[in-house]
Amino acid sequence: MIEDPYFGKYISCVSARSTDREILKKAQDGGIATTLMVFALEEGMIDGTIVAGEGDRPWEPEPIVAMTREDILKGRGTKYSISPQISWLKEATRSFGLDKVGVTGVCCQIQAVRKAQLYPINMRDVPGKVAFTVGLFCMENFPYKSLQSIVEDHAAQSLGSVKRMDITKGKFWVYTERGDVATLPLKATHKYEQPGCHVCLDYVSNLADISTGSVGSPDGWSTVFIRTKKGNEIWSKAVAAGMFETKPIEEVKPGLDLLRKIAKEKIDKNQKTIEERKTFGVNKALRNPYA
Amino acid sequence: MGLLNSTNKTMGRKAKPAHVVMEKKMEATKEIKPVTNKIKIGHVHMSGCTGCLVSLADNSMGLIKILDDYADLVYCLTLADVRNIPEMDVALVEGSVCIQDKGSVEDIKETRKKSKIVVALGSCASYGNITRFSRGGQHNQPQHESFLPIGDIIDVDVYIPGCPPSPELIRNVAVMAYLLLEGDEDQKVLAGKYLKPLMDLAKRGTTGCFCDLMNDVINQGLCMGCGTCAASCPVRAITLEFGKPQGERDLCVKCGSCYGACPRSFFNLDVIPEFESISEIIAGALKEGESDD
Ligand SMILES: Cc1cc2nc3c(=O)[nH]c(=O)nc-3n(C[C@H](O)[C@H](O)[C@H](O)COP(=O)(O)OP(=O)(O)OC[C@H]3O[C@@H](n4cnc5c(N)ncnc54)[C@H](O)[C@@H]3O)c2cc1C
Ligand code: SF4
Ligand code: SF4
Ligand code: SF4
């Protein structure tokens, strides 16, 4: 077990890509999240999972409880807006009748799952029925109206025509169905960030069974942290079953150094925000959820 | 990690690095020799629906294990034949206090006097919950009109919010209360850390409402739209609109669950990241068929 101040606890870290072509066609990066959940479903390790599907408006995510491969595939691709994944956590064990629930989500959502497991306040059955969590790396998230401003006002594309969005190499990228690529500097997007993200102290989903993101690995590949016993078991089986190509993380560029640099940037910045909240008013502090 | 090792030790295991303990769990659990100093637990029934007690009992084999190895149930009008409130280590109080009912008021004061730790079990004891809506006028005591959470009458140490509180949270608090009272120094530290946020909730106040999310999470710039609040609401009063919670405030029964469950009400970084080992410890402590006799 490795313990790192910015990456949390993990058993191992690799660079990987799914071998499932259908998944890769619409996956954000290496299709890790979707492939893992499909594999866990097919192996009976989960009987359903919460994924971020498509909502009513273009690029507005909506959490769904997916119980088939087809539904899990609806989660492919990053939607850069808030998808309240945990709103379905208890319902998944009730209306959906799941005994082994999977959860995909960003860091704060995996934190929410762990809190619900250790302090299950009105969360009956949840502690024992969370079977597998795949967490995503996450720098920040955007309210839907923010995403609209970024894509429609700044990048001058209509949301309905967008095929893919990405945040990488210091830019926000918008790819349209017709082949346009619009970018804007991340600096222009900062003011639109969800405020609650500014007190977030986790970048690589430290509390997931397995966590994954793009930073650290080459385009089309993902960086993967295998963290818990359960995560390790599922990962080993999936690799043995040929679900993934893998490379040692030490051998890929840009590798863990870049990831550590970015993780440190986020966490240090947000620590500072939390510090500043203490003296926000005149003898009045803003609340600190970690105190 | 030292903390967790020694917790395993009280549960009868040798002190080993936590991951080794986990790997060798099957082997290790055979070594369990429960500590004999049981704590005294009581269930005090105020104005509640017995749902909290049912939740406690819903730990089924876990409850039997607790009663076998860690605690004696010294008072519980529903399950045990003891009339007067005895000395207790931990009093689990269900329900709010009807201030027009002299007996209830005396009982809750007596409970405070006789107990080391008073736990408000469930949302009625913690926040009033559904009993807040009472206007009296019911046979055969129509004058019984005003119900207060126990914290408005006595000092309360720990809250277990929920309507009903989940069996798993009751179980966790029971195990941690045991460690707090009977464990070694390290275990007391772990138990103290685990219980602290639930003790802070008890200090925070006696009203619970969707408004708590507005006042202390959303208005404070802390909400990140995870949706946990909606999942925890027993009456489905919360929906997420554009990624933020909206409460149907007329539906809200004032149970306080959403606030307690929200990861931005409290998130103790010295406890929750240890979820894997702590869950193992609790599961290990409650493993069936391992008792001494
Ligand atoms: C808001 C956000 C910010 C991110 N920031 C970073 C970052 O800074 N650095 C980095 O390396 N990676 C970041 N990621 C992760 C990255 O964009 C990919 O989601 C990740 O690499 C998984 O890709 P994949 O190909 O394995 O997943 P896929 O197989 O494409 O599956 C995508 C998975 O993401 C989930 N998902 C999609 N949108 C959301 C959402 N809005 N909320 C919750 N879950 C969602 C789906 O449920 C699905 O399981 C971020 C993701 C999100 C949602
Ligand atoms: S930055 Fe943190 S709080 Fe914001 S969405 Fe990502 S994980 Fe959640
Ligand atoms: S649980 Fe808390 S952080 Fe999550 S959506 Fe509700 S109020 Fe926001
Ligand atoms: S909104 Fe729901 S969970 Fe929150 S206090 Fe009201 S009834 Fe309880």
Side-chain angles (χ1 to χ4, degrees), chain B residues 75-103:
Chain B
Y75 182 72
C76 179
L77 290 180
T78 317
L79 300 176
D81 189 17
V82 178
R83 278 300 167 93
N84 298 317
I85 295 173
E87 298 279 338
M88 293 177 270
D89 292 308
V90 180
L92 302 168
V93 183
E94 163 171 358
S96 55
V97 185
C98 175
I99 59 173
Q100 285 93 21
D101 180 39
K102 257 178 110 181

Coordinates of all heavy atoms in Angstrom, one line a residue, chain B residues 75-103:
Chain B
Y75 N -32.2 -1.8 30.4 CA -33.5 -1.1 30.4 C -34.1 -1.0 29.1 O -33.5 -0.5 28.1 CB -33.3 0.3 31.0 CG -34.6 1.1 31.2 CD1 -35.5 0.7 32.2 CD2 -34.9 2.2 30.4 CE1 -36.7 1.4 32.4 CE2 -36.1 2.9 30.6 CZ -37.0 2.5 31.6 OH -38.2 3.2 31.7
C76 N -35.4 -1.4 28.9 CA -36.1 -1.3 27.6 C -37.5 -1.8 27.9 O -37.7 -3.0 28.0 CB -35.4 -2.2 26.6 SG -36.2 -2.2 25.0
L77 N -38.4 -0.9 28.0 CA -39.8 -1.2 28.4 C -40.4 -2.3 27.4 O -41.2 -3.1 27.9 CB -40.6 0.0 28.5 CG -40.3 0.9 29.7 CD1 -41.3 2.1 29.7 CD2 -40.4 0.2 31.0
T78 N -40.0 -2.2 26.2 CA -40.6 -3.1 25.2 C -40.0 -4.5 25.3 O -40.7 -5.5 25.0 CB -40.4 -2.5 23.8 OG1 -40.6 -1.1 23.8 CG2 -41.3 -3.2 22.8
L79 N -38.8 -4.6 25.6 CA -38.1 -5.9 25.6 C -37.7 -6.5 26.9 O -37.4 -7.7 27.0 CB -36.9 -5.9 24.6 CG -37.1 -5.4 23.2 CD1 -35.8 -5.3 22.4 CD2 -38.0 -6.4 22.5
A80 N -37.5 -5.6 27.9 CA -36.9 -6.1 29.2 C -37.8 -5.7 30.3 O -38.4 -4.6 30.3 CB -35.5 -5.6 29.4
D81 N -38.0 -6.6 31.3 CA -38.9 -6.4 32.4 C -38.2 -5.6 33.5 O -37.9 -6.1 34.6 CB -39.4 -7.7 32.9 CG -40.6 -7.5 33.9 OD1 -41.1 -6.4 33.9 OD2 -40.9 -8.5 34.6
V82 N -37.9 -4.3 33.3 CA -37.3 -3.5 34.3 C -38.2 -2.2 34.4 O -38.4 -1.6 33.3 CB -35.9 -3.1 34.0 CG1 -35.3 -2.2 35.1 CG2 -35.0 -4.4 33.9
R83 N -38.7 -1.8 35.5 CA -39.6 -0.7 35.6 C -38.9 0.6 35.8 O -39.2 1.6 35.1 CB -40.6 -0.9 36.8 CG -41.8 -1.8 36.5 CD -42.5 -1.2 35.3 NE -43.5 -2.1 34.7 CZ -44.7 -2.2 35.1 NH1 -45.2 -1.4 36.1 NH2 -45.5 -3.1 34.6
N84 N -37.9 0.7 36.7 CA -37.3 2.0 37.0 C -36.0 2.2 36.2 O -35.3 1.2 36.0 CB -37.1 2.1 38.5 CG -38.4 2.1 39.3 OD1 -39.4 2.7 38.8 ND2 -38.4 1.3 40.3
I85 N -35.8 3.4 35.9 CA -34.6 3.7 35.1 C -33.3 3.4 35.9 O -33.1 4.0 37.0 CB -34.6 5.1 34.6 CG1 -35.7 5.3 33.6 CG2 -33.2 5.5 33.9 CD1 -36.0 6.7 33.2
P86 N -32.5 2.4 35.5 CA -31.3 2.1 36.3 C -30.1 2.9 35.9 O -30.2 3.7 35.0 CB -31.1 0.6 35.9 CG -31.6 0.6 34.5 CD -32.6 1.6 34.3
E87 N -29.0 2.7 36.5 CA -27.7 3.3 36.1 C -27.3 2.7 34.7 O -27.4 1.5 34.6 CB -26.6 3.0 37.1 CG -26.8 3.5 38.5 CD -26.4 5.0 38.6 OE1 -25.6 5.5 37.8 OE2 -26.9 5.6 39.6
M88 N -26.9 3.6 33.8 CA -26.5 3.1 32.5 C -25.3 3.7 32.0 O -25.0 4.9 32.4 CB -27.6 3.4 31.5 CG -29.0 2.7 31.7 SD -30.2 3.3 30.5 CE -30.9 4.6 31.4
D89 N -24.5 3.0 31.2 CA -23.4 3.7 30.5 C -23.9 4.5 29.3 O -23.5 5.6 29.1 CB -22.4 2.6 30.0 CG -21.7 1.9 31.2 OD1 -21.2 2.7 32.0 OD2 -21.7 0.7 31.2
V90 N -24.8 3.8 28.5 CA -25.3 4.5 27.4 C -26.8 4.4 27.3 O -27.4 3.3 27.4 CB -24.8 3.9 26.1 CG1 -25.3 4.6 24.8 CG2 -23.2 3.9 26.0
A91 N -27.5 5.6 27.3 CA -29.0 5.6 27.2 C -29.3 6.0 25.8 O -28.9 7.0 25.3 CB -29.6 6.6 28.2
L92 N -30.0 5.1 25.1 CA -30.5 5.4 23.8 C -31.9 5.9 23.9 O -32.8 5.2 24.3 CB -30.5 4.2 22.9 CG -29.1 3.5 22.7 CD1 -29.3 2.1 22.1 CD2 -28.2 4.4 21.8
V93 N -32.2 7.2 23.7 CA -33.5 7.8 23.9 C -34.2 7.9 22.6 O -33.8 8.6 21.7 CB -33.4 9.1 24.6 CG1 -34.8 9.6 25.0 CG2 -32.6 9.1 25.9
E94 N -35.4 7.3 22.5 CA -36.2 7.4 21.3 C -37.4 8.3 21.6 O -38.0 8.2 22.7 CB -36.7 6.0 20.9 CG -37.9 6.1 20.0 CD -38.3 4.7 19.4 OE1 -37.7 3.7 19.7 OE2 -39.3 4.7 18.6
G95 N -37.7 9.2 20.7 CA -38.9 10.1 20.9 C -38.6 11.4 21.5 O -37.6 11.6 22.1
S96 N -39.6 12.3 21.3 CA -39.4 13.6 22.0 C -40.2 13.6 23.3 O -40.8 12.6 23.7 CB -40.0 14.7 21.0 OG -41.4 14.3 20.7
V97 N -40.1 14.7 24.0 CA -40.6 14.7 25.4 C -41.9 15.6 25.4 O -41.9 16.7 25.0 CB -39.7 15.4 26.4 CG1 -40.2 15.3 27.8 CG2 -38.3 14.7 26.3
C98 N -43.0 15.0 25.8 CA -44.3 15.7 25.9 C -44.2 16.5 27.3 O -44.1 15.9 28.3 CB -45.5 14.8 25.9 SG -47.0 15.7 26.3
I99 N -44.1 17.8 27.2 CA -43.9 18.6 28.4 C -45.2 18.7 29.3 O -45.1 19.2 30.4 CB -43.3 20.0 28.1 CG1 -44.3 20.9 27.2 CG2 -41.9 19.9 27.5 CD1 -43.8 22.3 27.1
Q100 N -46.3 18.3 28.7 CA -47.5 18.2 29.6 C -47.6 16.9 30.3 O -48.5 16.7 31.1 CB -48.8 18.5 28.7 CG -48.9 19.9 28.3 CD -48.4 20.2 26.9 OE1 -48.2 19.3 26.1 NE2 -48.1 21.5 26.7
D101 N -46.7 16.0 30.0 CA -46.7 14.7 30.7 C -45.6 14.6 31.7 O -44.5 14.5 31.4 CB -46.6 13.6 29.6 CG -46.6 12.2 30.2 OD1 -47.4 12.0 31.2 OD2 -45.8 11.4 29.8
K102 N -46.1 14.8 33.0 CA -45.1 14.8 34.1 C -44.1 13.6 34.1 O -42.9 13.8 34.3 CB -45.9 14.9 35.4 CG -45.9 16.3 36.0 CD -46.7 16.2 37.3 CE -45.8 16.4 38.5 NZ -46.7 16.3 39.8
G103 N -44.7 12.5 33.8 CA -43.9 11.2 33.9 C -42.8 11.3 32.9 O -41.6 10.9 33.2

